[in-house]
Amino acid sequence: MSEAGNTYLLEMQNLTKRFPGVVALNNVSLKVKAGSVHALMGENGAGKSTLMKCLFGIYSMDEGKIFFDGKEVQFTSSKQALENGVSMVHQELNQVRQQNVMDNIWLGRYPHKGIFIDEKKMYEDTKAIFQSLDINIDPRSKVSTLSVSEMQMVEIAKAVSYHSKIIVMDEPTSSLTETEVNHLFRIIKRLQSENVAIIYISHKMEEILKISDEVTIMRDGQYITTKDAKELTTNEIIKLMVGRDLSQRFPEKINEPEEVILKVKGFTAETQPSFSNVSFELRKGEILGIAGLVGSKRTEVVEALFGLRSLKSGTIELRGKAVKNDTPQKAIKNGFALVTEERRTTGIYPELSISFNSIIANLKQYKKGIFLSDSKVHDDTKWVIDSMKVKTPSQKTSIGSLSGGNQQKVIIGRWLLTRPDILLLDEPTRGIDVGAKFEIYQLINNLAAEGKGIIMISSEMPELLGVTDRILVMSNGKAAGIVNTKTTTQEEIMRLAALY
């Protein structure tokens, strides 16, 4: 071992990991100091998550060595990693949603009083961790009732509960508001003060430069460089990540909104508290953004539009005709498509192939008697892979083995195969790298130029201002206002978002 025992808490040396048809990691090294925030950056498919899964015992490396806290290690399970002081907050939250918060935190290591679980101690221990991290969640709440950002905070608290020496955070702010991001940064600073190291994976340049001490950049499964964060700029990071200069973050707009094709009137959820009396219009060829703080019920409105939530009152008019989207099946038949926020939970069948995940929303189109038409399935999957620029060895590859950005491209391609009039996108670039984001923006732009109506929820203000034509601002379940993207400001949007 070099100087790992003296200077570095973690040293990963020359790691290689192969999957069938692809070298995911090629001779990659990483050194992390105790008490530091070490950012790990790269486009989707660069190998960041694979490297961390090798550390965390989810994958076994084919070559290389790992030194942690002065000893050579090779964890064979995540349980072993956790017990030795390495924890990981995954981008895709894998929680038992029907259990309560404290059950999720102490699962597999419940405190006991004799032969019984000591609920009182479990509650008090959870409360103590939450208080130390300034998290305001009832430990007895069911996880399924929490927002995505609250679930993320529970996962961070769980990592802290293991007294970890190193915590890997994979896209921890992808579904957080600015206020929640600042809260997370305060938690990170506190952990740093206790000599905990943080490996921070994110695509958000401004965050990386604000929170990190050092930045390691990867590209195509290879190590590129490690630099002090204070020496880097956003443009330099982008250039190192993509191997080219990305002068524009957003493509030039080519769509021209025409006549109104969708009218939503008086949308009120059946179960309250939720959204009430939400009305708006969408034009042919328009990209309508939906902004709002977490809890503003943006997702709920879009889910109701797609038939996933019941309405107490409200109407939908498409091209002058009343339609009823009572179920997702009816919504699809009526020309609606929804790309959900939680890709892993509600978007993909992770163990199944790209081919299956591409055609699942449109299965009837492929029926040939009691069988599926293999040639049509093959052709349409090829179209998804080619037009969405999905990086994959083959159509038969399981979608779960792809990077987050490539999974998202398959999902968008899947819905385009249904030839929708109205495309509903909930955080479509969440957890996607800067290069793939540009491709998805371009795709959204092109679809609007072809006359599709697009409704896009995003928590990223620059994204809304860079991509949309108008923005509907939600505040506490109400439509606070609709602004013109060209003439609005971030301040106006935030003022409306905090109106109710």
Side-chain angles (χ1 to χ4, degrees):
M1 184 173 79
S2 64
E3 52 195 331
N6 308 317
T7 311
Y8 297 103
L9 175 65
L10 171 72
E11 185 171 350
M12 304 177 82
Q13 294 178 354
N14 310 114
L15 261 69
T16 295
K17 175 66 184 170
R18 300 178 190 90
F19 294 108
V22 63
V23 180
L25 295 175
N26 186 3
N27 203 31
V28 175
S29 296
L30 178 71
K31 297 176 181 179
V32 180
K33 294 169 186 166
S36 72
V37 176
H38 195 114
L40 189 54
M41 300 195 74
E43 291 191 88
N44 285 102
K48 309 179 299 292
S49 294
T50 304
L51 184 67
M52 291 301 99
K53 284 174 180 175
C54 287
L55 168 64
F56 199 55
I58 296 170
Y59 294 154
S60 61
M61 56 197 175
D62 296 318
E63 293 165 27
K65 290 182 176 181
I66 300 174
F67 297 95
F68 176 64
D69 205 15
K71 298 189 293 283
E72 185 173 353
V73 297
Q74 187 170 352
F75 303 129
T76 54
S77 68
S78 50
K79 183 175 183 286
Q80 194 183 9
L82 286 162
E83 287 167 352
N84 282 277
V86 177
S87 61
M88 189 166 174
V89 179
H90 297 271
Q91 181 187 345
E92 310 291 357
L93 302 169
N94 294 314
Q95 290 162 319
V96 186
R97 298 191 176 212
Q98 293 315 306
Q99 298 276 36
N100 66 28
V101 167
M102 58 189 191
D103 277 333
N104 270 272
I105 287 177
W106 302 104
L107 203 61
R109 52 193 180 121
Y110 291 126
H112 282 82
K113 206 174 190 178
I115 60 167
F116 299 105
I117 291 170
D118 192 342
E119 295 265 347
K120 186 169 180 286
K121 178 170 170 43
M122 189 158 66
Y123 177 84
E124 285 168 357
D125 288 352
T126 307
K127 200 79 181 150
I129 293 167
F130 282 1
Q131 280 170 349
S132 74
L133 300 176
D134 196 24
I135 294 172
N136 187 22
I137 297 171
D138 182 354
R140 294 194 178 99
S141 299
K142 216 182 237 192
V143 169
S144 59
T145 65
L146 304 182
S147 68
V148 176
S149 60
E150 287 172 327
M151 289 180 198
Q152 197 118 32
M153 288 299 175
V154 170
E155 282 297 286
I156 291 163
K158 183 177 180 176
V160 170
S161 76
Y162 278 95
H163 305 293
S164 305
K165 292 175 184 171
I166 196 159
I167 301 177
V168 180
M169 296 187 179
D170 192 353
E171 297 290 348
T173 65
S174 57
S175 56
L176 304 188
T177 62
E178 197 174 335
T179 307
E180 289 162 335
V181 170
N182 290 331
H183 180 195
L184 175 66
F185 286 177
R186 287 196 299 275
I187 290 172
I188 288 172
K189 290 290 182 197
R190 181 187 155 268
L191 293 168
Q192 272 188 282
S193 71
E194 293 172 8
N195 224 25
V196 175
I198 309 290
I199 298 177
Y200 193 92
I201 301 175
S202 178
H203 296 303
K204 297 183 179 178
M205 310 287 168
E206 293 81 1
E207 281 182 14
I208 290 293
L209 295 174
K210 185 176 177 182
I211 195 71
S212 308
D213 300 304
E214 290 182 294
V215 180
T216 290
I217 292 163
M218 295 176 65
R219 190 194 318 142
D220 299 328
Q222 296 185 322
Y223 170 86
I224 301 299
T225 188
T226 299
K227 290 182 178 286
D228 281 352
K230 56 180 178 287
E231 292 175 10
L232 288 165
T233 65
T234 299
N235 284 341
E236 284 171 306
I237 293 173
I238 292 171
K239 206 180 282 187
L240 289 163
M241 273 172 60
V242 301
R244 61 189 185 278
D245 198 0
L246 259 184
S247 52
Q248 281 182 297
R249 272 179 81 175
F250 302 100
E252 188 182 337
K253 287 187 70 62
I254 54 172
N255 62 309
E256 289 183 16
E258 299 173 32
E259 74 278 5
V260 171
I261 54 167
L262 178 71
K263 289 183 181 178
V264 174
K265 293 179 186 169
F267 251 36
T268 301
E270 187 173 63
T271 309
Q272 294 293 340
S274 188
F275 59 89
S276 62
N277 201 28
V278 174
S279 301
F280 60 90
E281 294 180 346
L282 176 69
R283 297 176 182 279
K284 180 181 178 181
E286 180 180 35
I287 303 165
L288 175 70
I290 303 186
L293 305 173
V294 169
S296 63
K297 308 301 178 189
R298 300 167 301 176
T299 293
E300 287 81 349
V301 169
V302 165
E303 286 179 346
L305 200 48
F306 192 65
L308 282 167
R309 288 180 183 267
S310 301
L311 291 171
K312 182 182 175 187
S313 59
T315 59
I316 304 169
E317 209 177 275
L318 181 63
R319 300 188 191 281
K321 276 175 60 180
V323 296
K324 274 203 167 213
N325 291 351
D326 296 337
T327 64
Q329 289 75 19
K330 279 191 187 173
I332 294 167
K333 198 176 169 188
N334 289 329
F336 289 75
L338 170 64
V339 175
T340 58
E341 176 186 11
E342 274 290 275
R343 187 168 54 235
R344 174 70 62 175
T345 311
T346 56
I348 63 168
Y349 297 85
E351 303 304 321
L352 298 177
S353 68
I354 291 168
S355 184
F356 178 87
N357 276 276
S358 296
I359 65 162
I360 186 60
N362 211 15
L363 217 46
K364 280 183 187 169
Q365 299 291 319
Y366 305 96
K367 289 259 173 85
K368 201 175 179 181
I370 58 168
F371 301 104
L372 295 181
S373 166
D374 286 345
S375 62
K376 187 163 169 47
V377 168
H378 177 274
D379 290 349
D380 280 3
T381 305
K382 185 177 187 304
W383 178 85
V384 169
I385 290 169
D386 293 348
S387 60
M388 302 290 118
K389 298 180 182 166
V390 179
K391 287 180 187 169
T392 175
S394 84
Q395 296 191 5
K396 292 184 173 67
T397 301
S398 73
I399 195 170
S401 69
L402 300 185
S403 65
N406 283 306
Q407 289 175 9
Q408 190 74 320
K409 289 179 189 177
V410 173
I411 295 167
I412 293 173
R414 169 207 296 170
W415 286 111
L416 293 180
L417 289 173
T418 70
R419 295 183 170 79
D421 288 317
I422 309 294
L423 190 57
L424 310 170
L425 305 171
D426 193 351
E427 303 284 4
T429 66
R430 181 183 166 207
I432 291 178
D433 65 77
V434 68
K437 271 186 179 182
F438 190 89
E439 289 170 5
I440 287 176
Y441 298 148
Q442 189 79 65
L443 180 67
I444 292 168
N445 210 343
N446 291 344
L447 290 167
E450 289 167 18
K452 307 276 187 211
I454 295 169
I455 296 174
M456 173 176 148
I457 297 173
S458 177
S459 299
E460 292 187 38
M461 200 75 80
E463 182 169 270
L464 286 171
L465 294 170
V467 176
T468 66
D469 300 297
R470 291 184 305 142
I471 300 167
L472 163 67
V473 187
M474 293 288 296
S475 176
N476 200 24
K478 296 180 176 65
I482 296 180
V483 296
N484 187 312
T485 305
K486 277 182 186 167
T487 56
T488 193
T489 60
Q490 292 198 31
E491 290 73 24
E492 181 183 24
I493 292 168
M494 287 309 295
R495 183 175 52 77
L496 288 167
L499 196 61
Y500 298 113

